[in-house]
């Protein structure tokens, strides 16, 4: 019985250690645009806020952004390829932190979009991956985004290195956020 208790305690400590290794990103984060380098898709962003809620099981990222007015469009409106968590897309996504992929389906400007999300600890940070597939008049489109999240400055700065593969090629961005008060 004592041995069983010790094994359970060891498993619990290991699980907590794995969660802590990637860091806890919970909080409200505001884009420091002057410290960020954004791909063309993010060039029209005036401001962006991430509200992150993280537990041992999941991480939810709610994105709110304001985009510059362009030709009568509305700022912050999600368009083709701008789903939640992407450049300028507003909305919320939840990643499972147990190593399993999650899938969802939602309507977009060009029809149904299937999304697969995954997350894993990556050294002192977290790697978030989303694969979005949708049908368009030009055929099936796949958008793959890999984000590497790291904390610095005693947890007050969040840096997201983002690689997005699209039918038009790869786009890279580095987004720097400050933790809100």
């Amino acid at each position: 019985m004592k041995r069983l208790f010790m094994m359970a305690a060891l498993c619990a400590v290991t699980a907590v250690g794995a969660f802590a290794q990637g860091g806890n990103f919970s909080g409200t984060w505001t884009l420091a645009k002057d410290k960020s380098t954004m791909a063309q898709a993010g060039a029209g962003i005036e401001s962006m806020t991430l509200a992150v809620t993280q537990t041992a099981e999941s991480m939810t990222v709610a994105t709110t952004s304001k985009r510059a007015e362009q030709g009568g469009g509305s700022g912050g409106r999600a368009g083709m390829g701008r789903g939640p968590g992407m450049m300028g897309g507003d909305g919320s996504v939840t990643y499972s932190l147990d190593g399993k992929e999650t899938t969802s389906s939602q309507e977009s400007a060009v029809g149904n979009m299937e999304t697969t999300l995954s997350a894993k600890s990556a050294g002192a940070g977290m790697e978030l991956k989303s694969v979005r597939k949708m049908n368009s008049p030009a055929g099936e489109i796949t958008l793959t985004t890999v984000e590497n999240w790291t904390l610095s400055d005693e947890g007050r700065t969040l840096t997201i290195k983002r690689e997005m593969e699209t039918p038009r090629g790869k786009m890279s961005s580095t987004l720097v956020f400050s933790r809100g008060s």
Side-chain angles (χ1 to χ4, degrees), residues 31 33 36-50 63-67 75-91 130 132 143 145-147 160-164 166 171-177:
L31 180 68
K33 194 172 174 183
S36 302
T37 56
M38 292 183 259
Q40 182 180 0
I45 293 176
E46 288 184 6
S47 65
M48 180 185 292
T49 302
L50 304 178
T63 304
T64 304
S65 60
K66 182 178 179 189
R67 296 181 70 81
R77 191 176 68 195
M80 185 179 116
R82 289 196 190 120
M86 299 181 76
M87 291 295 199
D90 289 345
S130 67
R132 292 175 170 82
L143 305 171
T145 304
V146 177
E147 296 181 341
I160 301 174
K161 292 185 184 256
R162 176 182 286 161
E163 294 283 333
M164 189 161 104
T166 73
M171 293 186 279
S172 300
S173 299
T174 299
L175 305 172
V176 179
F177 293 84

Side-chain angles (χ1 to χ4, degrees), residues 62-119:
T63 304
T64 304
S65 60
K66 182 178 179 189
R67 296 181 70 81
E69 294 289 329
Q70 296 177 359
S74 68
R77 191 176 68 195
M80 185 179 116
R82 289 196 190 120
M86 299 181 76
M87 291 295 199
D90 289 345
S92 179
V93 293
T94 300
Y95 295 87
S96 173
L97 299 181
D98 63 4
K100 297 177 184 172
E101 292 183 342
T102 57
T103 58
S104 65
S105 181
Q106 69 185 53
E107 284 300 313
S108 72
V110 294
N112 191 47
M113 180 170 44
E114 297 289 326
T115 303
T116 303
L117 303 172
S118 62

Side-chain angles (χ1 to χ4, degrees), residues 114-139:
E114 297 289 326
T115 303
T116 303
L117 303 172
S118 62
K120 65 181 178 179
S121 286
M126 182 79 65
E127 179 185 283
L128 304 178
K129 181 177 180 181
S130 67
V131 179
R132 292 175 170 82
K133 293 185 180 187
M134 66 189 95
N135 288 314
S136 75

Side-chain angles (χ1 to χ4, degrees), residues 46-62:
E46 288 184 6
S47 65
M48 180 185 292
T49 302
L50 304 178
V52 181
T53 306
Q54 183 177 346
T55 67
E57 295 83 29
S58 66
M59 186 163 86
T60 300
V61 181

